Each structure stands twice: as structure tokens, then as C-alpha cells.
Amino acid sequence: MPATHTSPSTLESLFVPLSDTGSDTAVSVILKLRGETCDIDCLYCFEKRKESPGGARISAAQVNRLGSIFSGRPLSVELHGGEPLTAGRERIAEILDALAAQPNVIRVSLQTNGLQLDDAWVDLFEQHYPELEIGISFDGDALGNSWRVGYDGHPTHPRVIEALRLLGRRGRKVGVVCAVTPYVLGRASEVMDHLASFPAVTTVSLVPCFDATVTRSTGVAGSRAPTSRALQRGAIGPNGPAWAVTPRQYADFVLEAAHHWVASGTFRRVKLDPVVSVIRRLKGLRSRSCHFSDLKCDHVLTLYPDDRLGSCDELPWPQARLAALGDVHVEFDVSDAQSSSPLLRRARSLVTKCVTCDYRDTCGAGCPAIRLRFEATGDEDAYCDHRMRLIDGIAGLLAQPDHPTGAFCTRLRWRPRHPNDMRHVAAFLARWDNPAASRPPALLQVSTYGNVNTVGLPGVHEADDLDPHHPQWHEGIEPGVRPVIDVLTTGWGMVTYDSCQGHAYDGVFGAEPRFLSVGILPRDREQYARTAAQLCRAADEAASRLPEACSLVIGRSELTCRATGRAYPTLDLHLVPTAGATHAAYFRDLDRAVHVLTGVLTETPSPPPSAPCGCVAEASRVDGAGQ
């Protein structure tokens, strides 16, 4: 993992307890209207694996009780299952009326398999809760939906298409939850095109089947198992179920889908998650997804018909159970049960490692429920790696949307730097390319440790923004990094906005060493894409030539303009200690590493505008050789 550039966060900033949020923070409540009861029998269904008794129905009285418990806080409610529509029209109408009457309910959604939807259902929704948001579980095309079958083993795909067409005719907008299984891998463009072909679909959420820990089929009541359970038994082998995907497979599929989403223009009409959630976090905005938010398991509750109130339905049951609804009178009773829950304490502990991670501000620590699954397999790092892969790829896509192959670069990492701003970026870029521009004298002072800035002190301080035409340009660059700057500005024709030669700070109490870095500010997206590919190729060549204690890391970041607030995509080059190397060894080898790096940068040609980066081109060659 790259070295940390920002101060560690606190655990509470990644997983905030319910008791620590105010009355303006919403709680999400999942109403399992029929428990696990459903009119189809999807092979991968996680709800039925809980093997809890079904058949009962949540009542309007239970809904009203929930509203009174959280009367001082907004509620976001999801009608879920099993299949919620099996509760029947009369009961659904009662529940929608109860929700509509509660002023603190700010959002109501329905997640359905779509098989029962007809005009009468749509009429009911419009009469009792016109703002109801509808979600359809639909795994792309016919092949992708192969796991979604009836009890007779027959596919449900054709009937869901009828529901989507009905909703389109009625002018309803829907979100699709698409499970990523091996049946969609390598076919992201086909799946996205199929989903986007329905006018009703405005949101697609790609969710992973991380089910490697599933080792047995779901039990059945009675001695006669339906055909669907026989299919399920046949799909579960010694290495897990056939519908499971690995974190890396999921990340690659999402990036392929994101690539097509941008290249095809689908982004203009359809929201794609988790891509949009990552983009929002990259831009410093909040996401409604708890996987990218600090409002995790303590702010997600699940209610079953038999009065079981628990945490998020993705957590294992019965461990996730908090209390019986009848025993809960006020919000404190819920937060008290949460603080006493061994499962939630364990889930929270898994997030502890995230407080020092460079990706934490974007990742948001992910999903504790999924982390628990990967902890059970001893492979929690795979979960973290795929989250980083998603963030790196989507950061590349955002920075160079006209060249979306940059999303697949495995060498450029998202490495935001704080602080990272400039007084006026556009003026700086204009001055860089205009020798006749006015250039006032710069204030340059040098610290006892070699830092060049306006105050002459070690650490991160303001420095004047210089360009090669400024008479103090050479003086303003720390000597140890000048060879690298010279190649990038003169040889590559790039704009550099920041640099550091690296400082050991020996003898300075509490001071963390700084490593060599150069910030590159591309003039436009075309230059950004070409430079990213060139840096990737250079990093590939440097890997085998650098001294053992030094490694080259190239990162994506953003430079904020203080005058306009605009964020400019940047490419940052870092020489950092190799994993396991001491700081003393790094600084001992740093001069030799700069010499090697300068040579590599000089030798690396600029690729054609449309050429992929080195690692993508290499992967294509390997894949082609294996076919």
C-alpha cells in the first residue's frame, strides 16, 4: 500500500455509532414484509440461507411503532423480502398509508423481483404512495439471469422484461440491482446495453456475489425438495458455489461496465453504481451508499414479521438480532442493543485498519458485513485490494474520459495530497507558456534541511509558483530533484507544479521524513492521457533498475484552484521506500535512484495519443498469447 500522505482518521469518522449522530441524520429501515417468503427461488438468495420461518406479514401497527421509536429522526424505508408483493395488495396499501402518514419518513422504496407487477399494482402505488421508488432485481441479459429461477427451475427473465416494459409505458423510473456472477464476466458492454435498452431503467447497481464461504445448499421444509434446490445443490462444489465471483473479478467487471458507460454515452441517462458513489467520494461529496459512507451498520436496521429487529440484513443471523420490537420503546434502546452486540463490535474492529489507509476518504471503509465474510476465509486483503482497484480505475476514467482505457492501468494509484492547492491555476498555466508574461520576484528561503519555501522552515509550507521562464526558476527547485524536473519540463514538455527532493529530518523530534516527489499538471485531458501512459511505461522500466531500497510510485491526484474552486487532475511521481526498507537505506540510495530515474524518463518516448499505457498493453499481449 502506498505511504500515507494524510493524518490518520478516527474510527468514528468511518463507522459512526447511532448515538453519535443528531436528529437530522436518517436511519434506514429494511422491512422484510414476508420474511424470506418468495414466489421464486433464486439459487444465490442470501435471505433464504438464514432459514428463518416465513409466511407471516409485517403489519401497519409495526410500521407505526417504528415511526414512534424514531420520531425525532428521518427514516428511509425499504420494502423488501423475500418478495414483498407476496404480502398482498391490501396489506401493502395499509403499510404505504402508514408510511405516508409519518412526517419523519423521507423516502420509501420497494425492491421486487417484478413478476407480480401489473397495472393494478402500479395504480395502487400511485394512489397510496406516489413517490414510491421501485427497484427491480434483474441480472442483465438472459444468461446473466440464469440463477434467478422459479421453484420449477425455469428462468424468470422473460417475465421481468414484461414488468420493465410495463413500467416504461406507465412512465415509472426504476433502479435495477444486477448481481455480478460468472455469467456476466467479460460481457459488461452486452449487459449494460441490455439494461439501458429499457426506458424505465435510470439506475443500475452492480452488486457482487461474494459467496465463496457458502458450502451447503439451503434447507427445505418437508421431505420433497423443489427442482430449484436440486439445481442449487449441483452448483455448490468443494471450492464454493458456481455463482460466486472473486473481488478482482468484480472490480474488473465494474471497470469494464464503467468504460462502456462512458464510451457509449449511457452515463447521460443511466446512473451506474458503485461508479457514481466512487466519483462522488473522489469529488469530496457524500454518497447515499453505506458502503461508501460512515453511516454503516448502526444506521441500517431490519424488521421481520415476527418482531425481530436487527442490524443490516447482510450481516449473519441470528447474530445480527438486536431486540424484539415490542421491547423497544425509544431510540436509546436500539443504540444500547447495538453497543452490546458482539457482532457489531467485531464488525467495527475490522474497520480499525482503515483509519491509516490512504484510500479511506474515498473508500469509506467498505461494508463490514462483507469484511466479516472475507475475514472468515483469511483473505480480507483481497476485499481491500478490489476497493483500491475500483478507486484507482474510476479516478483514471474521471481524469481522461476520452481515453477510458486509463481505467485499467494498474500502476497509477489514487494518491490525494492534502493540502494541494494553488492561488490561480489557469494564470499559472498561461504564464508557463508565455515568456513575455510579467514575473514578480519570488520569496525563496532555504531551511537547514534543504527545504525551499517562503518561510525557510522544514515541513509543508507555501512556496511561490515558478515556471522555467522565471529568473529564479533554477534557484526555486531543491537540488536533489532538479534532474527529474529538467527531464519532465525540457524533455517531456510538461508543466510541474510542485516538487520535493526528500528530507530525512534527522534529529527533528516527531517529524516524519518526506520522500522525493514531483507534481505534474497536464494542460488538458489529451495531454493527461498521453502522459499517464508514458509514466506507466517508465515505471515498468524503472522497476528492475532502481536501487533495492527505492521504488517508483505514480499517482493520480487533484490540484485545487483557490481563486475558482476548480480541481485540476494531476499526475504525481514519487520515489518512496520499498516495502521493508528502512528510511536510512532509502536516503542512502536516493541519489542513485534519481540518476536511474532520470535516465529512464529520458529514454521513455511519448506514446501516440490513442496508445494504452504499458501495463494495459502488456496485459493485452499476455491475454492474446493465451488464446
Side-chain angles (χ1 to χ4, degrees):
M1 186 182 298
T4 300
H5 291 267
T6 55
S7 300
S9 300
T10 62
L11 178 59
E12 287 69 26
S13 69
L14 297 173
F15 191 140
V16 60
L18 179 63
S19 56
D20 285 4
T21 54
S23 58
D24 58 340
T25 302
V27 167
S28 295
V29 179
I30 302 168
L31 299 181
K32 297 287 187 179
L33 297 190
R34 294 293 306 283
E36 54 86 19
T37 299
C38 189
D39 49 1
I40 63 175
D41 199 30
C42 303
L43 274 58
Y44 56 51
C45 179
F46 73 89
E47 189 63 44
K48 289 181 180 176
R49 286 203 297 268
K50 298 174 185 176
E51 298 182 5
S52 55
R57 297 182 296 179
I58 282 180
S59 67
Q62 289 172 299
V63 172
N64 288 330
R65 183 171 183 83
L66 268 175
S68 66
I69 292 169
F70 293 101
S71 59
R73 182 188 290 269
L75 286 183
S76 176
V77 178
E78 182 174 7
L79 310 182
H80 208 280
E83 171 51 48
L85 297 187
T86 61
R89 300 184 200 278
E90 183 178 350
R91 181 57 58 89
I92 294 286
E94 292 174 359
I95 288 173
L96 291 177
D97 287 343
L99 292 168
Q102 296 183 25
N104 60 324
V105 172
I106 59 172
R107 173 176 177 260
V108 180
S109 60
L110 168 78
Q111 188 64 36
T112 173
N113 59 38
L115 268 64
Q116 293 193 32
L117 283 176
D118 57 18
D119 282 302
W121 272 114
V122 178
D123 290 341
L124 184 148
F125 300 153
E126 293 179 350
Q127 179 183 353
H128 294 272
Y129 207 101
E131 301 83 12
L132 179 70
E133 299 176 16
I134 300 175
I136 303 287
S137 300
F138 189 55
D139 301 343
D141 56 11
L143 178 59
N145 277 275
S146 298
W147 306 109
R148 301 188 64 80
V149 299
Y151 288 93
D152 58 5
H154 293 163
T156 63
H157 178 260
R159 295 165 64 188
V160 184
I161 287 180
E162 293 175 9
L164 288 171
R165 289 172 178 165
L166 163 70
L167 293 167
R169 289 194 302 270
R170 295 294 299 265
R172 300 291 302 215
K173 304 303 182 184
V174 301
V176 167
V177 174
C178 175
V180 176
T181 71
Y183 282 150
V184 301
L185 297 181
R187 302 190 308 109
S189 59
E190 298 170 47
V191 170
M192 287 300 298
D193 284 345
H194 184 65
L195 293 173
S197 69
F198 299 97
V201 174
T202 57
T203 300
V204 174
S205 297
L206 303 174
V207 298
C209 277
F210 289 155
D211 286 345
T213 56
V214 175
T215 57
R216 64 186 182 90
S217 60
T218 306
V220 296
S223 59
R224 188 172 181 179
T227 302
S228 53
R229 298 300 168 89
L231 292 174
Q232 189 191 58
R233 284 198 301 272
I236 299 176
N239 297 319
W243 62 78
V245 295
T246 66
R248 182 54 187 263
Q249 287 173 326
Y250 172 69
D252 286 346
F253 180 83
V254 172
L255 292 178
E256 290 164 11
H259 179 180
H260 185 73
W261 181 64
V262 170
S264 66
T266 306
F267 70 91
R268 296 185 178 93
R269 189 178 66 81
V270 177
K271 173 186 172 182
L272 178 63
D273 250 341
V275 179
V276 171
S277 289
V278 173
I279 290 173
R280 289 187 64 82
R281 293 305 300 256
L282 287 169
K283 292 298 184 183
L285 304 172
R286 293 189 66 86
S287 168
R288 199 164 74 178
S289 168
C290 58
H291 291 207
F292 292 90
S293 167
D294 55 351
L295 303 179
K296 297 193 183 299
C297 311
D298 279 19
H299 288 76
V300 182
L301 301 171
T302 306
L303 178 66
Y304 284 86
D306 60 0
D307 251 13
R308 283 176 297 150
L309 181 65
S311 191
C312 172
D313 65 342
E314 291 195 40
L315 287 164
W317 285 72
Q319 300 96 311
R321 184 182 185 276
L322 296 173
L325 184 64
D327 296 333
V328 177
H329 303 285
V330 292
E331 182 181 310
F332 174 80
D333 295 334
V334 176
S335 60
D336 186 52
Q338 290 172 334
S339 64
S340 302
S341 167
L343 179 65
L344 289 180
R345 284 200 298 268
R346 181 60 192 151
R348 181 184 292 271
S349 72
L350 293 180
V351 176
T352 303
K353 62 181 288 187
C354 303
V355 300
T356 58
C357 175
D358 279 353
Y359 289 78
R360 63 189 177 275
D361 292 337
T362 311
C363 172
C367 173
I370 297 178
R371 286 188 177 278
L372 284 167
R373 292 182 223 164
F374 279 97
E375 183 201 32
T377 65
D379 198 21
E380 194 188 349
D381 285 346
Y383 179 72
C384 293
D385 290 344
H386 105 277
R387 301 273 297 180
M388 296 178 192
R389 178 86 182 96
L390 283 175
I391 292 166
D392 292 339
I394 294 170
L397 189 67
L398 198 61
Q400 51 184 89
D402 295 331
H403 298 279
T405 54
F408 303 102
C409 179
T410 57
R411 290 198 182 94
L412 268 76
R413 312 297 297 270
W414 175 245
R415 293 172 60 87
R417 297 200 285 170
H418 304 290
N420 201 36
D421 55 33
M422 181 181 285
R423 186 175 297 109
H424 202 303
V425 178
F428 172 70
L429 286 170
R431 189 168 62 248
W432 187 283
D433 292 323
N434 182 8
S438 174
R439 291 173 172 83
L443 177 61
L444 301 177
Q445 298 194 59
V446 183
S447 78
T448 55
Y449 295 92
N451 310 81
V452 179
N453 51 48
T454 59
V455 293
L457 294 173
V460 179
H461 297 282
E462 186 77 16
D464 286 333
D465 303 321
L466 306 182
D467 63 86
H469 301 293
H470 197 288
Q472 294 170 278
W473 163 252
H474 191 265
E475 181 186 350
I477 301 171
E478 295 171 357
V481 75
R482 282 176 191 160
V484 180
I485 294 289
D486 287 344
V487 174
L488 291 174
T489 57
T490 304
W492 287 31
M494 296 305 303
V495 175
T496 56
Y497 71 92
D498 183 49
S499 64
C500 175
Q501 69 179 10
H503 305 282
Y505 294 142
D506 293 332
V508 179
F509 179 76
E512 290 290 327
R514 292 196 68 198
F515 308 124
L516 184 143
S517 65
V518 177
I520 301 172
L521 177 62
R523 294 172 175 84
D524 52 43
R525 286 174 168 173
E526 188 71 26
Q527 189 179 65
Y528 182 103
R530 191 165 56 249
T531 306
Q534 191 173 6
L535 283 172
C536 178
R537 293 167 188 263
D540 180 40
E541 180 63 30
S544 61
R545 294 167 56 177
L546 285 169
E548 185 177 355
C550 300
S551 294
L552 176 62
V553 174
I554 46 179
R556 304 184 193 271
S557 186
E558 289 183 334
L559 176 68
T560 301
C561 177
R562 294 199 296 270
T564 66
R566 177 181 169 184
Y568 290 76
T570 63
L571 293 162
D572 296 342
L573 178 154
H574 309 266
L575 275 176
V576 301
T578 302
T582 64
H583 292 165
Y586 166 80
F587 284 105
R588 181 196 64 216
D589 289 349
L590 184 56
D591 287 345
R592 187 156 58 97
V594 168
H595 178 74
V596 170
L597 177 59
T598 303
V600 168
L601 293 174
T602 302
E603 298 164 7
T604 305
S606 177
S610 59
C613 65
C615 60
V616 173
E618 177 62 26
S620 298
R621 287 194 296 271
V622 172
D623 290 345
Q627 292 175 354

